[in-house]
Amino acid sequence: MDASGRVEWPEGRAFAFTVFDDTDLATVENVSPVYALLRDLGLRTTKSVWAIDGNGVPRIGGATGDDPAYRDWTLELQASGFEIGSHGASPVTSPREVVVRSLERFREIYGHDPEALANHSGCRESIYWGDARVGGTSRLAYNLMTGFRRRGMFRGHREGDPLFWGDLCRERVRYVRNFTYADANTLAACPVMPYYDPVRPYVRAWFASSEGADVRAFNRCLGEAEQDRLEAEGGACIMYTHFASGFWSDGVLNGRFRELIRRLAGKNGWFVPVTALLDHLAEKRGLMVLTAAQRQVLERRWLRSKISVGYS
Ligand SMILES: [Zn+2]
């Protein structure tokens, strides 16, 4: 940080930008054109994967590491500087033994453990998910908003449960994503990231993200004015999106997306994957330990976004 509290970015860059791409519905066909564009523009981001199919029929489509052509393509991405992160063990709820198998398989394929992870909302072994994302009165508010349908539903952090894998998460995963905000400057919405939350000890460090769930939300979050503000504020954007949701359709890339991402890439930004960005923040400022007051601010800010636009 400099004297004004702003983070200094490497190589004299003015701001930082990356993407965490949720792998729901993704296939080589529907996301490789998006990655070809990012690569050509010099952007390097994080693509999440499921290392294995897991048990049973996926409730949501999308390829996994069990598909050789898809696996090879993700390895090419990795070789060209993209980060491969995790979207959990598989597209379906995975008990501990399947989580272990998936972690081993991830390491076999990519040569190391997943460094950045985001829970998949359909999987009940998700860690600190559903109403466990928040505490106190925020949890009550969350449960009221969701009609108590997700109360206690997610169990990855519950010791003794067949879905428990918190100890493995703490051992092998470095960063897990929790809150998502409307602001393109993720660091302005969550100035403490990456942070350790003492009441959620199975996660070594948390990060937040900006809301760009599909191509429309992405384009809205990263419009010209928002890009210019991100740059002026010297901030950091970790866009959370699903590149399989409308970026490529009927054989063409979404025109507005192409225009916006080209414009952004023309700026003096630091365009590195999620883990590199978070490592830089942690190196400059140390890993923050969340206080009760800070937790309350983050939780309430997230709930307000959720009420207004239904953020993930
Ligand atoms: Zn998902």
Side-chain angles (χ1 to χ4, degrees), residues 45-66:
T45 59
T46 298
K47 168 162 185 15
S48 65
V49 297
W50 291 303
I52 58 173
D53 285 343
N55 301 335
V57 186
R59 262 178 289 168
I60 189 152
T64 77
D66 284 338

Side-chain angles (χ1 to χ4, degrees), residues 22 24 50 87 119-121 240 242:
D22 179 312
D24 297 359
W50 291 303
H87 195 33
N119 286 310
H120 176 55
S121 42
Y240 193 87
H242 301 80

Side-chain angles (χ1 to χ4, degrees), residues 56 58 67 87 119 145 154 163 220:
D67 171 342
H87 195 33
N119 286 310
M145 280 163 63
F154 299 97
L163 299 179
R220 196 184 321 121

